[in-house]
Amino acid sequence: MFQVKIPATSANLGPGFDCLGMALQLYNRITVETNRPFRITLSGSYKEGIPTDDTNLVWKTMCHFWDLINYPIPNLDLTFENFIPPARGLGSSSAAIVGGLVAANAIAGSPFTKLELLQVANALEGHPDNVTPALYGGVTLSVSTENGVLPRILTQSPNFKAVVTIPNMHLNTKKARGILPDQVHRKDAVFNISHVSLLTEAFIRGDYSLLKEGMRDTLHQNQRAALIPGLLETLEAALETGAYGSALSGSGPTLLALIPDNLEKDVPLSMTKALERHGINATALVLDIDTSGAFTSLI
């Protein structure tokens, strides 16, 4: 029997659309018992709407991996312990894909390296900004090349905490991506290129005074504000309360703020109150950054 522990992730971090991401200390767990009749059991905070048959995303991912390497599908008893909220911009689908790949790889004797697993995960997810930190931990940059995704860890153990403010609403990623235009103005592209560069320097050097400006965006956050009442006001409230920087988490609706330790109470309160003014109830969590990514342990 073994277990795979997979972190939640926050993608984009403002201007880094589809390429920047961060792993968080909020986890889903997959427990695997081999040589048992096939069964999927759900536990944890999120069970509703998750299938327990062969349409389950974790199981489909595992079967996809075994098909890639011509490995016979084994009989397994699986327990999925879910604490990452689905459809909230915290990488729940990436956690399922990465967890399934790591578990399937372990069962098959680990024929794939982490880098090879990343290429499969990216192909399944369609973009690497969540799957890379889910596999590697820390704050990551994913570079798409003609040979696949090149992952870079900008910082493994940054000296800040993440406030994730989770509105009591769901936002489908497909809908949130569909609202974005197919083409962007050159000045907006230049703005985001320069701000991703500044953000990269902030993480590498540990100069968090650069985060406020570095996390600004023109490509997706203003456009998605139409889907999330109070988005821009809430991000500004976090900054006014002293957060280093703030951004929409992935495609939303969760909102992210990066803070020093001494603001663990003030920033979450300011963000939830800002959303309340727009009729949105929200839960704020203060999380450390996950430093290891998905990993397997015997139990």
Side-chain angles (χ1 to χ4, degrees):
M1 183 186 300
F2 69 91
Q3 186 176 85
V4 182
K5 184 178 179 182
I6 317 101
T9 50
S10 181
N12 301 331
L13 308 182
F17 187 76
D18 278 3
C19 63
L20 288 180
M22 174 185 298
L24 304 169
Q25 288 191 16
L26 177 68
Y27 300 97
N28 285 354
R29 293 175 174 84
I30 301 170
T31 301
V32 180
E33 294 185 67
T34 57
N35 300 315
R36 301 284 295 273
F38 174 72
R39 182 178 66 169
I40 293 175
T41 303
L42 302 177
S43 67
S45 302
Y46 301 97
K47 296 179 284 187
E48 185 177 351
I50 299 175
T52 56
D53 58 14
D54 58 7
T55 64
N56 182 280
L57 180 56
V58 176
W59 177 248
K60 286 170 63 178
T61 302
M62 295 173 78
C63 292
H64 174 79
F65 179 80
W66 292 322
D67 185 59
L68 282 178
I69 62 173
N70 295 313
Y71 187 86
I73 296 176
N75 292 320
L76 301 174
D77 188 331
L78 302 168
T79 300
F80 302 152
E81 190 176 6
N82 299 319
F83 292 100
I84 302 172
R88 303 294 178 86
L90 287 170
S92 60
S93 64
S94 291
I97 289 169
V98 167
L101 289 174
V102 171
N105 190 48
I107 289 168
S110 301
F112 274 32
T113 65
K114 186 180 291 189
L115 181 60
E116 289 170 330
L117 289 177
L118 174 60
Q119 311 311 317
V120 180
N122 179 54
L124 291 173
E125 179 74 341
H127 44 92
D129 46 350
N130 288 101
V131 294
T132 299
L135 273 167
Y136 287 85
V139 180
T140 61
L141 168 67
S142 301
V143 181
S144 297
T145 76
E146 60 183 15
N147 296 316
V149 177
L150 173 64
R152 308 305 299 164
I153 301 173
L154 302 180
T155 177
Q156 198 85 56
S157 305
N159 189 27
F160 55 69
K161 294 182 183 291
V163 178
V164 290
T165 303
I166 309 168
N168 187 24
M169 60 181 286
H170 292 79
L171 181 56
N172 180 272
T173 300
K174 186 176 181 180
K175 181 178 181 180
R177 294 179 79 88
I179 201 172
L180 302 179
D182 292 330
Q183 297 181 332
V184 299
H185 293 292
R186 180 185 300 171
K187 65 181 179 62
D188 291 335
V190 171
F191 182 97
N192 271 50
I193 290 169
S194 64
H195 281 70
V196 167
S197 300
L198 183 64
L199 195 52
T200 299
E201 180 187 3
F203 289 132
I204 291 175
R205 293 182 180 272
D207 186 351
Y208 303 144
S209 67
L210 301 176
L211 291 178
K212 180 178 180 179
E213 182 65 33
M215 292 177 75
R216 293 179 62 201
D217 161 80
T218 58
L219 295 185
H220 69 102
Q221 291 188 161
N222 288 342
Q223 295 84 337
R224 286 167 167 166
L227 302 176
I228 307 168
L231 185 159
L232 299 178
E233 180 185 330
T234 304
L235 296 182
E236 186 60 32
L239 296 176
E240 290 177 354
T241 314
Y244 291 133
S246 60
L248 181 64
S249 181
S251 59
T254 293
L255 305 177
L256 171 76
L258 305 181
I259 64 167
D261 290 348
N262 65 332
L263 293 179
E264 287 188 21
K265 294 182 179 179
D266 294 347
V267 171
L269 182 61
S270 71
M271 296 178 77
T272 54
K273 283 189 173 296
L275 287 170
E276 285 175 5
R277 288 193 286 272
H278 291 266
I280 303 293
N281 292 323
T283 301
L285 305 177
V286 180
L287 304 172
D288 287 314
I289 308 308
D290 172 85
T291 61
S292 61
F295 70 92
T296 304
S297 58
L298 295 176
I299 56 175

